[in-house]
Amino acid sequence: VQLQASGGGLVQPGGSLRLSCAASGLILENYAMTWFRQAPGKDREWVSCIRGNTGTTYYADSVKGRFTISKDNARNTVYLQMNSLKPDDTAVYYCAVERACYRDTDSFDDWGQGTLVTVSS
């Protein structure tokens, strides 16, 4: 399994970014995809998950209403649309895949390489 995360960058507060996580070596609709993030000096934090079979989505309270997770099974890709970004959203964002939506990092073996999001004026 390989996961390729992309789409990070520098954005001003209030701005938007869309992250992508392209998966290979698996059929995405059979798996759940999860986004985590890790800010400098902090633990990796669960952000959002989308279930493979139902498309049900879950969000951390800190991003609910601002971030939207979605997937394109034909492209084997999951997206994280991030709106109304805040400086506290600054982190390296990682995607991870498993059969179900888990919120602890120990449940995952397969991770993308991470993409840096910096929210700053």
Side-chain angles (χ1 to χ4, degrees):
V1 174
Q2 287 193 327
L3 303 174
Q4 181 73 36
S6 61
L10 173 63
V11 63
Q12 292 187 343
S16 298
L17 280 175
R18 188 178 80 156
L19 306 183
S20 300
C21 180
S24 59
L26 55 82
I27 300 173
L28 188 58
E29 65 180 315
N30 296 331
Y31 290 82
M33 186 71 80
T34 303
W35 286 97
F36 288 83
R37 66 185 181 185
Q38 189 165 18
K42 294 188 176 181
D43 293 336
R44 197 164 293 189
E45 172 191 27
W46 179 82
V47 175
S48 180
C49 182
I50 184 165
R51 294 179 63 179
N53 49 357
T54 64
T56 305
T57 57
Y58 306 90
Y59 298 95
D61 287 344
S62 58
V63 307
K64 198 173 295 182
R66 300 187 298 121
F67 290 12
T68 303
I69 191 170
S70 62
K71 65 189 179 78
D72 184 337
N73 287 333
R75 296 179 184 272
N76 242 27
T77 299
V78 170
Y79 305 98
L80 187 67
Q81 177 67 42
M82 307 186 297
N83 299 328
S84 303
L85 283 162
K86 307 174 183 179
D88 283 350
D89 296 317
T90 295
V92 177
Y93 284 71
Y94 298 90
C95 52
V97 67
E98 254 300 343
R99 290 288 186 174
C101 281
Y102 299 108
R103 301 194 180 194
D104 60 296
T105 57
D106 290 343
S107 295
F108 297 89
D109 293 325
D110 297 304
W111 294 85
Q113 84 286 3
T115 184
L116 176 62
V117 172
T118 303
V119 185
S120 175
S121 54

